[in-house]
Amino acid sequence: MKFTVYLAGEIHTSWREELIDKAQALDLPLEFVGPMTDHERSDNIGEAVMGTQPSSIAKDEAASQINNLRTELLMKKSDLVIALFGEKYKQWNTAMDASAAISLQKPLILIRPENLHHPLKELSNKANVTVETVNQALKVLTYVFE
Amino acid sequence: MKFTVYLAGEIHTSWREELIDKAQALDLPLEFVGPMTDHERSDNIGEAVMGTQPSSIAKDEAASQINNLRTELLMKKSDLVIALFGEKYKQWNTAMDASAAISLQKPLILIRPENLHHPLKELSNKANVTVETVNQALKVLTYVFE
Amino acid sequence: MKFTVYLAGEIHTSWREELIDKAQALDLPLEFVGPMTDHERSDNIGEAVMGTQPSSIAKDEAASQINNLRTELLMKKSDLVIALFGEKYKQWNTAMDASAAISLQKPLILIRPENLHHPLKELSNKANVTVETVNQALKVLTYVFE
Amino acid sequence: MKFTVYLAGEIHTSWREELIDKAQALDLPLEFVGPMTDHERSDNIGEAVMGTQPSSIAKDEAASQINNLRTELLMKKSDLVIALFGEKYKQWNTAMDASAAISLQKPLILIRPENLHHPLKELSNKANVTVETVNQALKVLTYVFE
Amino acid sequence: MKFTVYLAGEIHTSWREELIDKAQALDLPLEFVGPMTDHERSDNIGEAVMGTQPSSIAKDEAASQINNLRTELLMKKSDLVIALFGEKYKQWNTAMDASAAISLQKPLILIRPENLHHPLKELSNKANVTVETVNQALKVLTYVFE
Amino acid sequence: MKFTVYLAGEIHTSWREELIDKAQALDLPLEFVGPMTDHERSDNIGEAVMGTQPSSIAKDEAASQINNLRTELLMKKSDLVIALFGEKYKQWNTAMDASAAISLQKPLILIRPENLHHPLKELSNKANVTVETVNQALKVLTYVFE
Amino acid sequence: MKFTVYLAGEIHTSWREELIDKAQALDLPLEFVGPMTDHERSDNIGEAVMGTQPSSIAKDEAASQINNLRTELLMKKSDLVIALFGEKYKQWNTAMDASAAISLQKPLILIRPENLHHPLKELSNKANVTVETVNQALKVLTYVFE
Amino acid sequence: MKFTVYLAGEIHTSWREELIDKAQALDLPLEFVGPMTDHERSDNIGEAVMGTQPSSIAKDEAASQINNLRTELLMKKSDLVIALFGEKYKQWNTAMDASAAISLQKPLILIRPENLHHPLKELSNKANVTVETVNQALKVLTYVFE
């Protein structure tokens, strides 16, 4: 049995690479998917596909529909979602994706630093598992295969 | 035909009262529900029900499960969700509730100031309607009954 | 037992009024809802809510999101959908609404002139009942209460 | 990860071949399915299976049920739907299939020439992504695998 | 709390009247709905709505789509389905309706004479409750309100 | 807005009466439903409806199908489920009903004495809210209407 | 793309073998599943698993639960259902399985001799395709892969 | 065709090994999954992942969320659930998992000693098949492939 894991959340640190590398080192039968992690590419994909847009709002709208299609397509194929919140940025996409995972009844692991507990308490309560580090999430993944 | 509207989002301004007053002045057949808007009461409801908790994390956990039950119960009874983002705070609950509305296939009106367009572009793209003011949301509600 | 009926389809003739009048004359316990039938108002609702838009495409986009919210909200509250195709116009919205009704498992009555049988044959096959006139649709509604 | 893509829409140009060829040239892990594109075969399949029918309406009815079964079976197996509208014909099947994709929560890419924006504005608003050319749709597909 | 009960099954005896009369005598808060019980009317409804049809098969097809619309509409509004099998006739509609009730997760009471146990054993196993008489079904209904 | 609450769980103490009385004293707009609380009646309902059964297993089978129909019918009409575990008995029905509530996405309040925390830890984790007393559950209900 | 086809219906003729042989001769990428076609084995499976039962009703009950589990398990894995009605027997299981397929939104091909049109008219109207012979069903299957 | 079977229930005897060994000896195309069967590991997994917890309740809470994620993930991938009740322990998790399987519409085989019939009568009535021994469950599995 093999699982597909969608890695939602911030794209400014290399937490995905860290998690994927360690999972491979442990030979866990997991396939990982996720959003575009090149921030520029993600912001510009609308214009890359549809050409220059008349305003920054139109540019954003063009990009967001393609990013949303990507997320919806990949999350539907996933068995599990891991969402990581960092210290910076608004990260409303992360909250949106985590909540979508819950509503789609995909098991959800939430990773967030302890000091974000208060603003994330309702989301944490709805997640299946809340941990503080990538390593802890990895231990949960490992446990499933024991 | 009468609709129930869930008012998700920030609880530090009186936008709900404004919207409800105007809807009543227009005699729109709408019933409004929403989260606890007394911030202290919301944060303390866990201890109010279950007694003093051993830590602030346990206090948050106790509160969040009751707030989530309230939201889930009321949103399920609603026909439409309006979610308002303000300039301040992390507002992850708002993003979570807006995303839950989308996944539950409840029509969603997003209210956000124009300058939040970029960080909310994916959520905006998934919402049915995005507007900038409470008055604009009210116009949308009015249109449904014309 | 009372039913709500969504009347999808062309807005250039008075078929809705005809159907509603006759249903009332027969005292059928039915409530009717439907799209905005004032074509100008429907096309301009985006600008009426959000102000003048930078292009005709942006104007259309603004209007379409509000019209879609209205349709989704009202169709979800309906027990039955009647969709009428006329001789003119592209009527892709009618096809879209009829198909949405089928997918939402709302019983669907399709009204179309016989000469449109060929281009509508797949939609007709998916509808519960296909008839040619408003009077025939009315007879079907009457039968449900016999 | 491999996706199956249903190609809905007009069958009078070779847009499917163009898209499939380019996707293969790019080695995208995609499998394409779609409706019968031989128009005569599609119109005559009812009589081909069940023998000569008593009228053109009966012939159409016989064909439509088999075409609908084909579409339903293949669309259910698909991860993504692309629907193309051309300049000609009523194309109600395309609207029906696109709307079914939305209701089945299959991500939908709509391809239509810019001059069809107005009559397709509501469908476009409901699609995940709207583009104007096959090449643009291909860029969206490519982006998912980056 | 009031329930709506759909009474599926044979239309050649007066079991519906018997059940409804007794439920009313007991003041049970129940509303009953069901198929057209005038057999001629049911068989002729297609021609009554759409005019004389070219063949008996076309007449049957016209009637069946209207009868199916009626059943679908009324069963969806019901909280409970009671299906009665008698000694005579093929009663495939009864089996179809009973099975639809199970799949729609509507609680199902099956009434059948003991000697039909063998051919109905799989359907009986899927029903919530199987009894032999209308009076026994009535006792089950009464129990729900104790 | 009025809610229906299903009261699952043990039937050997008067916790339901206590909860209902207090909710009424507080004028909460709640309607309460639940299983047959007369244990003898519940165990004998199968024979009461279908006559004496050949064995105690057949008697149990006859009773269980009627009790399950009652629970399914009432729980589907409920907005919220409260499940109470006591110190005694196996209470597998309570676990079954609580789990059904979760799967049906009905918000669930679990009431259990603290010393049952360990054997109920997984169910508690899945419940929306876990409390120890009827009074605490009542406080949660009250909060929803504040 | 490969499909799994559930073959529901009568078990007294060799129509399944005929269909499977021809499909294999045509190299159609189809896998076929279905009910136990050894009638004795099907009727006795309850006692074969659970030992001699106290009555013929208990024997039937024991068998039916195992046959239903088999059908449910295999039909859920299927992409398409073909149900064949013959001239003899009550065939309520066939009607039950065909109706379950419709409710599970599995495309359904109904095979029945023309003279059964009248009693099967409602089921036929709900099926995707109705044909009269195994060969016609095979032609429909073939068409899907053209 | 290959099935995945989730083995829910008590973890203090070697019934899983027995079942798996026999299924392999019979070459049944089955893959088996289930909960952590090392009781200590299951109780301690929360602290193993998240570190020492402040109380036994917090330790239980940490463990239960991980065990629930494991169950949810594996049960969703399963085609069939077998739940075994033994003579000892409260086994509320078994009842919870069995009920979840029913609600998720996964076919369920219940194994329980005959003397537990009375307290399990409602759950048994909802299960697809109830047997008394692992060997009987194996015979049911075998029958599916005959």
Side-chain angles (χ1 to χ4, degrees):
Chain A
M1 186 161 289
K2 195 175 169 175
F3 298 112
T4 300
V5 183
Y6 186 89
L7 299 176
E10 59 107 314
I11 59 176
H12 303 89
T13 65
S14 59
W15 70 275
R16 283 182 185 77
E17 290 68 20
E18 182 194 340
L19 181 59
I20 294 170
D21 284 354
K22 288 180 175 170
Q24 285 174 341
L26 289 166
D27 264 339
L28 296 181
L30 296 170
E31 179 180 20
F32 294 94
V33 293
M36 168 53 58
T37 55
D38 176 339
H39 197 174
E40 291 246 327
R41 175 79 173 140
S42 166
D43 274 2
N44 296 329
I45 183 62
E47 294 197 329
V49 168
M50 293 175 233
T52 308
Q53 298 295 307
S55 68
S56 67
I57 287 199
K59 179 189 165 184
D60 276 358
E61 175 63 21
S64 66
Q65 58 176 294
I66 297 173
N67 285 320
N68 279 344
L69 177 136
R70 180 183 168 131
T71 304
E72 186 177 333
L73 185 60
L74 294 177
M75 201 185 279
K76 280 227 180 102
K77 298 288 268 191
S78 300
D79 303 300
L80 183 74
V81 175
I82 297 179
L84 181 144
F85 280 84
E87 303 276 2
K88 291 195 225 153
Y89 307 99
K90 294 189 183 300
Q91 306 181 83
W92 287 326
N93 277 4
T94 311
M96 177 180 86
D97 289 347
S99 181
I102 294 162
S103 300
L104 289 169
Q105 304 195 282
K106 305 279 181 189
L108 173 69
I109 298 175
L110 187 67
I111 309 179
R112 54 108 189 85
E114 191 184 352
N115 65 324
L116 289 182
H117 185 268
H118 188 69
L120 281 172
K121 66 182 190 294
E122 272 80 22
L123 192 55
S124 170
N125 174 258
K126 286 175 117 178
N128 292 56
V129 173
T130 300
V131 297
E132 292 173 20
T133 66
V134 167
N135 273 344
Q136 290 174 334
L138 189 69
K139 283 185 189 167
V140 176
L141 294 178
T142 308
Y143 178 70
V144 171
F145 296 104
E146 283 180 14
Chain B
M1 185 162 292
K2 196 178 169 175
F3 298 111
T4 301
V5 183
Y6 187 89
L7 299 175
E10 59 107 313
I11 59 175
H12 302 90
T13 65
S14 57
W15 69 276
R16 283 180 185 79
E17 289 68 20
E18 183 193 340
L19 180 60
I20 295 172
D21 284 354
K22 288 180 174 171
Q24 285 173 342
L26 290 166
D27 264 340
L28 297 181
L30 296 170
E31 180 180 19
F32 294 94
V33 292
M36 167 54 58
T37 54
D38 175 340
H39 196 174
E40 292 247 327
R41 176 76 173 143
S42 168
D43 274 3
N44 296 329
I45 183 62
E47 294 197 329
V49 168
M50 293 176 232
T52 309
Q53 298 295 306
S55 68
S56 68
I57 287 199
K59 179 189 164 184
D60 276 357
E61 174 62 22
S64 66
Q65 57 178 296
I66 297 174
N67 285 320
N68 278 343
L69 177 137
R70 179 183 170 131
T71 303
E72 186 177 335
L73 185 60
L74 293 177
M75 201 185 279
K76 280 224 182 105
K77 299 288 269 192
S78 300
D79 302 299
L80 183 72
V81 175
I82 298 178
L84 181 145
F85 280 82
E87 304 275 3
K88 292 194 223 153
Y89 306 101
K90 295 188 180 301
Q91 308 180 80
W92 288 326
N93 278 3
T94 309
M96 177 180 86
D97 290 346
S99 181
I102 293 162
S103 301
L104 289 169
Q105 304 195 281
K106 306 278 181 190
L108 173 70
I109 298 174
L110 188 68
I111 309 177
R112 55 110 188 83
E114 191 183 352
N115 65 323
L116 289 183
H117 184 267
H118 188 69
L120 280 172
K121 68 181 189 296
E122 272 80 21
L123 192 55
S124 171
N125 174 259
K126 288 175 117 179
N128 293 57
V129 174
T130 300
V131 296
E132 292 174 21
T133 67
V134 167
N135 272 343
Q136 290 174 334
L138 189 69
K139 283 186 191 167
V140 176
L141 294 178
T142 307
Y143 178 69
V144 172
F145 296 104
E146 282 177 15
Chain C
M1 185 161 289
K2 194 176 170 175
F3 298 111
T4 300
V5 183
Y6 187 89
L7 299 175
E10 58 107 314
I11 59 175
H12 303 88
T13 64
S14 58
W15 70 276
R16 283 181 185 79
E17 289 67 21
E18 181 193 341
L19 180 61
I20 295 171
D21 284 354
K22 288 180 175 169
Q24 284 173 342
L26 290 166
D27 264 339
L28 297 181
L30 296 170
E31 180 179 20
F32 294 94
V33 293
M36 167 53 58
T37 54
D38 175 339
H39 197 176
E40 292 247 327
R41 176 77 174 143
S42 167
D43 274 3
N44 296 328
I45 183 63
E47 295 197 329
V49 168
M50 293 177 234
T52 307
Q53 298 295 307
S55 67
S56 67
I57 286 199
K59 178 189 165 184
D60 276 358
E61 175 62 20
S64 66
Q65 58 177 299
I66 298 174
N67 285 320
N68 278 344
L69 177 137
R70 178 181 169 133
T71 304
E72 185 177 335
L73 186 60
L74 294 177
M75 202 187 276
K76 280 225 181 104
K77 298 289 267 193
S78 300
D79 303 300
L80 183 73
V81 175
I82 298 179
L84 181 144
F85 280 84
E87 304 276 2
K88 292 194 223 154
Y89 306 101
K90 295 189 181 299
Q91 307 181 82
W92 287 327
N93 277 4
T94 310
M96 177 180 86
D97 290 347
S99 181
I102 293 163
S103 301
L104 290 168
Q105 305 196 281
K106 306 279 179 189
L108 172 69
I109 299 174
L110 188 68
I111 309 179
R112 54 107 190 85
E114 192 183 352
N115 65 323
L116 289 182
H117 185 267
H118 189 70
L120 280 171
K121 67 183 189 296
E122 272 81 22
L123 193 55
S124 170
N125 174 258
K126 287 176 117 180
N128 293 57
V129 173
T130 299
V131 296
E132 293 174 20
T133 67
V134 168
N135 272 343
Q136 290 175 334
L138 189 70
K139 282 185 190 168
V140 176
L141 293 178
T142 307
Y143 178 68
V144 171
F145 296 104
E146 284 177 12
Chain D
M1 185 161 291
K2 195 176 170 176
F3 298 112
T4 301
V5 183
Y6 186 90
L7 300 176
E10 58 106 316
I11 59 176
H12 303 90
T13 65
S14 59
W15 70 275
R16 283 182 186 78
E17 288 68 21
E18 182 194 342
L19 181 60
I20 294 171
D21 284 353
K22 289 180 175 171
Q24 284 173 341
L26 290 165
D27 264 338
L28 297 181
L30 296 170
E31 180 180 21
F32 294 94
V33 293
M36 167 53 59
T37 54
D38 176 339
H39 197 175
E40 291 246 329
R41 176 75 173 143
S42 168
D43 275 1
N44 295 328
I45 182 63
E47 293 196 330
V49 169
M50 293 176 233
T52 308
Q53 299 294 307
S55 67
S56 67
I57 287 200
K59 178 188 166 185
D60 276 358
E61 174 62 22
S64 67
Q65 57 177 296
I66 297 173
N67 285 319
N68 279 343
L69 177 138
R70 179 181 169 132
T71 304
E72 186 177 335
L73 185 60
L74 294 177
M75 201 186 278
K76 280 226 180 102
K77 298 289 268 190
S78 300
D79 302 299
L80 183 73
V81 174
I82 297 179
L84 181 145
F85 279 83
E87 304 275 3
K88 290 196 225 153
Y89 306 101
K90 295 188 180 302
Q91 307 180 84
W92 286 327
N93 277 4
T94 310
M96 177 179 86
D97 289 348
S99 180
I102 294 163
S103 301
L104 289 168
Q105 305 196 281
K106 306 279 181 190
L108 173 69
I109 299 175
L110 188 68
I111 309 178
R112 53 112 190 81
E114 192 184 352
N115 64 325
L116 289 183
H117 185 267
H118 188 71
L120 281 171
K121 66 182 189 296
E122 272 81 21
L123 192 55
S124 171
N125 175 259
K126 288 176 117 178
N128 292 56
V129 173
T130 300
V131 297
E132 293 172 22
T133 66
V134 167
N135 272 344
Q136 290 175 334
L138 189 69
K139 284 186 189 167
V140 176
L141 294 178
T142 307
Y143 178 69
V144 171
F145 296 103
E146 284 179 13
Chain E
M1 186 161 288
K2 195 175 169 177
F3 298 111
T4 300
V5 182
Y6 187 89
L7 299 175
E10 58 108 314
I11 59 174
H12 303 89
T13 65
S14 58
W15 71 276
R16 282 181 186 78
E17 290 68 19
E18 182 193 340
L19 181 60
I20 294 171
D21 284 354
K22 287 180 175 170
Q24 286 174 340
L26 289 165
D27 264 337
L28 296 181
L30 295 170
E31 179 179 20
F32 294 95
V33 292
M36 168 54 57
T37 55
D38 176 338
H39 196 174
E40 292 245 329
R41 177 76 173 144
S42 167
D43 274 3
N44 296 329
I45 183 63
E47 294 197 329
V49 168
M50 292 176 235
T52 308
Q53 298 294 307
S55 67
S56 67
I57 285 198
K59 178 188 165 185
D60 276 358
E61 176 60 23
S64 66
Q65 57 177 295
I66 298 174
N67 285 320
N68 279 344
L69 177 137
R70 177 181 171 133
T71 302
E72 186 177 333
L73 185 60
L74 294 177
M75 202 187 277
K76 279 226 181 103
K77 298 288 268 192
S78 300
D79 303 298
L80 182 74
V81 175
I82 298 178
L84 181 145
F85 280 84
E87 304 276 2
K88 293 194 223 154
Y89 306 100
K90 294 189 183 297
Q91 306 181 85
W92 285 327
N93 277 4
T94 309
M96 177 180 86
D97 290 346
S99 181
I102 293 162
S103 301
L104 290 168
Q105 303 196 283
K106 306 279 181 189
L108 173 69
I109 299 174
L110 187 68
I111 309 178
R112 54 107 190 85
E114 192 183 352
N115 64 322
L116 289 183
H117 185 268
H118 188 71
L120 281 172
K121 67 181 189 295
E122 271 80 21
L123 192 55
S124 170
N125 175 260
K126 287 176 118 177
N128 293 57
V129 172
T130 300
V131 297
E132 294 174 20
T133 67
V134 167
N135 273 343
Q136 289 175 335
L138 189 70
K139 282 185 190 170
V140 175
L141 293 178
T142 307
Y143 179 69
V144 172
F145 296 104
E146 283 179 14
Chain F
M1 185 161 290
K2 197 176 169 176
F3 298 111
T4 300
V5 183
Y6 187 90
L7 300 175
E10 58 107 314
I11 59 175
H12 303 89
T13 65
S14 57
W15 71 275
R16 282 181 185 79
E17 288 69 19
E18 183 193 339
L19 179 61
I20 295 171
D21 283 354
K22 288 179 175 171
Q24 286 174 340
L26 289 165
D27 264 337
L28 297 180
L30 296 170
E31 180 179 20
F32 293 95
V33 292
M36 168 53 59
T37 56
D38 175 339
H39 197 174
E40 291 245 328
R41 177 74 174 146
S42 166
D43 274 3
N44 296 328
I45 183 62
E47 294 197 328
V49 168
M50 292 176 233
T52 308
Q53 298 295 306
S55 68
S56 66
I57 286 198
K59 178 188 165 185
D60 276 358
E61 175 62 22
S64 67
Q65 58 177 295
I66 297 173
N67 284 319
N68 278 344
L69 176 136
R70 178 183 170 132
T71 303
E72 186 177 334
L73 185 60
L74 294 176
M75 201 185 278
K76 279 224 182 105
K77 298 288 268 192
S78 300
D79 302 299
L80 183 73
V81 174
I82 298 178
L84 181 145
F85 280 83
E87 304 276 1
K88 292 194 225 154
Y89 307 101
K90 295 188 182 300
Q91 307 181 81
W92 287 326
N93 278 2
T94 309
M96 177 179 86
D97 289 347
S99 180
I102 294 162
S103 302
L104 290 168
Q105 303 195 283
K106 306 279 182 190
L108 173 69
I109 300 174
L110 187 68
I111 309 176
R112 55 109 189 84
E114 192 184 350
N115 65 322
L116 289 183
H117 185 266
H118 188 71
L120 281 172
K121 68 181 187 296
E122 272 81 21
L123 192 56
S124 171
N125 174 260
K126 288 176 116 177
N128 292 56
V129 173
T130 301
V131 297
E132 293 174 20
T133 67
V134 167
N135 273 343
Q136 291 175 333
L138 189 69
K139 283 185 189 167
V140 176
L141 295 178
T142 307
Y143 178 70
V144 171
F145 297 103
E146 283 179 15
Chain G
M1 185 160 290
K2 195 177 168 177
F3 299 112
T4 301
V5 183
Y6 187 90
L7 300 175
E10 59 107 315
I11 59 176
H12 303 88
T13 65
S14 58
W15 70 275
R16 283 181 185 77
E17 289 69 18
E18 182 194 340
L19 180 60
I20 296 171
D21 283 354
K22 289 179 175 172
Q24 286 174 340
L26 290 165
D27 264 337
L28 297 181
L30 296 170
E31 180 179 21
F32 294 95
V33 292
M36 168 52 59
T37 54
D38 175 339
H39 196 175
E40 291 246 327
R41 177 72 174 147
S42 167
D43 274 3
N44 296 329
I45 182 63
E47 294 198 330
V49 168
M50 293 176 234
T52 309
Q53 298 295 306
S55 67
S56 67
I57 286 197
K59 179 189 165 184
D60 276 358
E61 175 61 22
S64 66
Q65 57 177 296
I66 297 173
N67 285 319
N68 279 344
L69 177 138
R70 178 181 170 133
T71 304
E72 186 178 334
L73 185 60
L74 294 177
M75 201 186 279
K76 279 224 181 104
K77 298 288 267 190
S78 300
D79 302 299
L80 182 74
V81 175
I82 298 178
L84 180 145
F85 279 84
E87 304 276 3
K88 291 195 224 155
Y89 306 101
K90 294 188 182 299
Q91 305 181 85
W92 287 326
N93 276 4
T94 309
M96 177 180 85
D97 289 347
S99 180
I102 294 162
S103 301
L104 289 168
Q105 305 195 281
K106 305 280 182 190
L108 173 69
I109 299 174
L110 188 67
I111 309 177
R112 53 111 190 82
E114 192 183 351
N115 64 322
L116 288 184
H117 184 268
H118 188 70
L120 280 172
K121 68 181 187 297
E122 273 79 22
L123 192 54
S124 170
N125 174 259
K126 289 175 114 179
N128 293 56
V129 173
T130 300
V131 296
E132 291 174 22
T133 66
V134 168
N135 271 344
Q136 290 175 334
L138 189 69
K139 284 184 190 170
V140 176
L141 294 179
T142 307
Y143 178 69
V144 172
F145 295 104
E146 284 178 14
Chain H
M1 184 159 292
K2 195 177 169 175
F3 298 111
T4 301
V5 183
Y6 187 89
L7 300 175
E10 60 106 315
I11 59 175
H12 303 88
T13 65
S14 58
W15 70 274
R16 282 181 186 78
E17 289 69 20
E18 182 193 341
L19 180 60
I20 294 170
D21 285 354
K22 289 180 174 169
Q24 286 174 339
L26 290 165
D27 264 336
L28 297 181
L30 296 170
E31 179 180 20
F32 294 95
V33 292
M36 168 52 59
T37 55
D38 176 338
H39 196 175
E40 291 247 328
R41 177 76 173 142
S42 166
D43 274 2
N44 296 329
I45 183 62
E47 295 197 330
V49 168
M50 292 175 233
T52 308
Q53 298 295 306
S55 67
S56 67
I57 286 198
K59 178 189 165 184
D60 276 359
E61 174 62 22
S64 66
Q65 56 177 295
I66 298 173
N67 285 319
N68 278 343
L69 178 137
R70 179 182 171 132
T71 303
E72 187 177 333
L73 185 60
L74 294 176
M75 201 186 277
K76 279 225 181 103
K77 299 287 268 191
S78 300
D79 303 299
L80 182 74
V81 175
I82 297 178
L84 181 145
F85 279 84
E87 303 276 1
K88 291 195 223 155
Y89 307 100
K90 295 190 182 298
Q91 305 181 85
W92 286 327
N93 278 4
T94 310
M96 178 180 86
D97 289 348
S99 180
I102 293 162
S103 301
L104 289 168
Q105 303 196 282
K106 305 280 181 188
L108 173 69
I109 300 174
L110 187 68
I111 310 178
R112 53 109 190 84
E114 192 183 351
N115 64 323
L116 288 183
H117 184 268
H118 189 70
L120 281 172
K121 67 181 189 294
E122 272 80 22
L123 193 54
S124 170
N125 175 259
K126 287 175 117 178
N128 292 57
V129 173
T130 300
V131 297
E132 292 174 22
T133 66
V134 167
N135 272 343
Q136 291 175 334
L138 189 70
K139 284 185 189 168
V140 175
L141 294 178
T142 308
Y143 178 70
V144 172
F145 297 103
E146 284 179 14

